[in-house]
Amino acid sequence: QKEVEQNSGPLSVPEGAIASLNCTYSDRVSQSFFWYRQYSGKSPELIMSIYSNGDKEDGRFTAQLNKASQYVSLLIRDSQPSDSATYLCAVNGYNFNKFYFGSGTKLNVKP
Amino acid sequence: DVKVTQSSRYLVKRTGEKVFLECVQDMDHENMFWYRQDPGLGLRLIYFSYDVKMKEKGDIPEGYSVSREKKERFSLILESASTNQTSMYLCASSLSGEAFFGQGTRLTVV
């Protein structure tokens, strides 16, 4: 079983819609959770981090964490074509020394 | 802003060559990582280091070694490059939270 699981997609949404990306993880002691965006041919860039249960909002992005169910999600409101990218979920272990990445969900936002 | 710099953006090497990939970070981060990324396989951890001269194997260390003589620099070494090591290599650093990535090195072994 992989440490971090994501649906590979592609997930297609029309411009202006809400995109919902999901991620599950296997290690119950995981402490920190991150969403990265990666454009084709580029390196991942951090867009959100979340450390406690509940929602965290930053502009059009909302990260949601449920440790009991071991899932973390990312909502993108008012999706734009520039949001088209692969979104990577990452989980950090108890000692902060290792990150586990999902294989990413490809998002296509159609104009 | 954190800056993680990888020495080469693109690299072409011959089978059997010894290859050095260099990574430097400027934020005094203790943790540094080397990943490779292949289509359909996501990011796979090769090695990480949590302090100078300290290293731990990741999930796919075979065929690779690393060196961390100074806190800011973490080098990945391919002792004898093979065609199956053709990949995108990503270096990252972190303190106790988010990981920050370099721009990546696309290595082709011919």
Side-chain angles (χ1 to χ4, degrees), chain A residues 35-47 86-90 101-102, chain B residues 6 35 37 42-43 88-92 99-104:
Chain A
W35 283 99
Y36 287 82
R37 178 176 61 201
Q38 187 176 25
Y39 293 112
S40 181
K42 302 292 185 182
S43 61
E45 57 177 325
L46 180 72
I47 53 172
T86 296
Y87 288 80
L88 302 171
C89 173
F101 284 85
Chain B
Q6 295 182 228
Y35 293 90
Q37 187 175 33
L43 280 162
M88 169 70 92
Y89 289 87
L90 291 160
C91 174
F100 297 91
F101 285 86
Q103 77 275 30

Side-chain angles (χ1 to χ4, degrees), chain A residues 10-53:
Chain A
L11 173 67
S12 292
V13 300
E15 184 174 356
I18 295 175
S20 177
L21 305 164
N22 300 308
C23 169
T24 57
Y25 61 94
S26 60
D27 189 351
R28 287 193 170 273
V29 300
S30 298
Q31 297 290 310
S32 310
F33 308 87
F34 310 93
W35 283 99
Y36 287 82
R37 178 176 61 201
Q38 187 176 25
Y39 293 112
S40 181
K42 302 292 185 182
S43 61
E45 57 177 325
L46 180 72
I47 53 172
M48 288 286 286
S49 59
I50 187 166
Y51 302 95
S52 55
N53 279 329

